[in-house]
Amino acid sequence: MFFVIFFCFAWLFAAIFYIQPKVISKAENMIIFLIMLVISIHWNWIIYEELILVSISKSTGDYLSFLIFRSVIVPLAAIIYINIILKNTTRLKTILVTFGGAFCLFVFILLALAGEIIEMKHWNLIFDYLYFVLYFCAVLVIHYVYVATIQKEGNMT
């Protein structure tokens, strides 16, 4: 059941990204998506698999739901976020979108807990919310570094 829910939300996020007006280029979207995918996979691998602070269900459908969240929904949320933020926003709107986006992803963690996809062992839910806030801040930093690097290389030639 939860596999279907997570799968539908993955399609919803993909549709939102497709429909959304893009502020940055396709290359920048792809680079940010891939970097944020690597960060998401590594974070979850360390917390869930290595340190075993959170256990994942052994059921195939539930585990696939977790993988869809980690590998599709979270990175797509990052590129949707950066396209929203770079579209003439104020600092207040940036802060609100950051905390709102983190809360949106946090709701997926609550959904996973309700569906017994994950089980907290030695972990606090506050850490997940803080991770998502820092994750969105990392998107901004990565985009800034990428743009600064490209502009620096462009000025040299």
Side-chain angles (χ1 to χ4, degrees):
M1 159 100 179
F2 283 93
F3 171 75
V4 173
I5 293 170
F6 278 83
F7 188 79
C8 288
F9 274 109
W11 272 103
L12 178 66
F13 274 62
I16 290 170
F17 174 69
Y18 181 75
I19 294 169
Q20 175 187 31
K22 313 298 184 288
V23 178
I24 58 178
S25 69
K26 289 180 184 178
E28 286 174 313
N29 277 313
M30 184 59 68
I31 288 170
I32 289 172
F33 178 83
L34 292 175
I35 291 172
M36 299 318 288
L37 175 65
V38 168
I39 290 171
S40 178
I41 288 174
H42 281 44
W43 168 264
N44 285 294
W45 176 68
I46 290 168
I47 299 301
Y48 292 69
E49 303 290 338
E50 289 298 316
L51 298 178
I52 311 172
L53 298 174
V54 179
S55 66
I56 307 168
S57 174
K58 301 295 182 200
S59 168
T60 304
D62 290 343
Y63 193 75
L64 284 174
S65 300
F66 168 73
L67 290 178
I68 287 172
F69 173 69
R70 175 189 81 180
S71 304
V72 178
I73 295 174
V74 174
L76 275 174
I79 57 176
I80 291 170
Y81 168 79
I82 196 71
N83 280 295
I84 290 171
I85 292 300
L86 294 178
K87 190 177 179 182
N88 297 328
T89 59
T90 63
R91 288 183 195 248
L92 178 64
K93 185 176 177 186
T94 301
I95 292 169
L96 290 175
V97 171
T98 301
F99 286 110
F103 183 74
C104 179
L105 292 178
F106 182 71
V107 168
F108 283 103
I109 295 295
L110 296 176
L111 185 63
L113 281 170
E116 298 178 354
I117 295 170
I118 59 173
E119 176 188 344
M120 302 291 177
K121 290 188 174 184
H122 306 288
W123 191 251
N124 194 333
L125 286 174
I126 300 298
F127 297 146
D128 275 324
Y129 184 74
L130 290 175
Y131 162 68
F132 291 129
V133 169
L134 293 174
Y135 185 81
F136 285 136
C137 292
V139 173
L140 292 173
V141 170
I142 288 167
H143 181 262
Y144 174 77
V145 169
Y146 177 77
V147 168
T149 304
I150 294 302
Q151 287 179 350
K152 183 179 177 183
E153 289 176 2
N155 291 338
M156 295 177 80
T157 57

